[in-house]
């Protein structure tokens, strides 16, 4: 399985270096992002951050398995021009009403 990692964000479990479950490093551990509010603009921010081509799929797991650990971000809403995912509007670090069945991925 491929893993792309840049700074504090990575994708895991996909078929390529630019696909898979979105994971973020925060407070000393990797965690996931919930699909509430997720759209193609948020996926584009992730892909730009990872220096990958624009995402063609912005929701779902991107062919990756569900994650584990903390769900770091929820209610993510991006304009598409943010430099990183955590600059998008969100519910705050660790604030969520999700389960890992709602983890997002990109392709």
């Amino acid at each position: 399985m491929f893993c792309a990692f840049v700074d504090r964000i990575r994708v895991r479990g996909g078929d390529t270096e630019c696909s898979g479950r979105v994971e973020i490093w925060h407070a000393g551990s990797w965690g996931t992002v919930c699909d509430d509010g997720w759209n193609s603009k948020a996926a584009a921010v992730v892909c730009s951050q990872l220096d990958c081509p624009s995402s063609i799929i912005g929701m779902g797991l991107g062919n990756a398995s569900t994650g584990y650990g903390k769900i770091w971000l929820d209610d993510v809403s991006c304009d598409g021009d943010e430099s990183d995912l955590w600059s998008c509007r969100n519910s705050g670090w660790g604030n969520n009403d999700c389960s890992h069945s709602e983890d997002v991925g990109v392709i």
Side-chain angles (χ1 to χ4, degrees):
M1 292 207 194
F2 290 92
C3 171
F5 168 72
V6 176
D7 192 21
R8 300 182 309 169
I9 193 166
R10 67 184 183 185
V11 290
R12 294 291 297 230
D15 296 331
T16 70
E17 291 181 352
C18 291
S19 69
R21 180 183 58 256
V22 176
E23 294 185 349
I24 297 174
W25 179 263
H26 180 72
S29 67
W30 288 103
T32 60
V33 179
C34 183
D35 66 3
D36 297 344
W38 190 260
N39 61 26
S40 60
K41 290 180 181 180
V45 170
V46 168
C47 291
S48 175
Q49 209 173 342
L50 291 170
D51 198 27
C52 290
S54 294
S55 178
I56 58 171
I57 294 179
M59 296 185 71
L61 281 172
N63 297 329
S65 61
T66 58
Y68 53 89
K70 194 77 170 163
I71 298 172
W72 281 126
L73 292 179
D74 188 15
D75 300 319
V76 174
S77 177
C78 300
D79 294 325
D81 57 357
E82 293 86 354
S83 60
D84 48 57
L85 188 62
W86 39 90
S87 293
C88 299
R89 292 175 299 282
N90 62 74
S91 60
W93 291 107
N95 296 324
N96 69 81
D97 58 357
C98 302
S99 68
H100 283 295
S101 66
E102 298 172 83
D103 290 342
V104 297
V106 294
I107 294 177

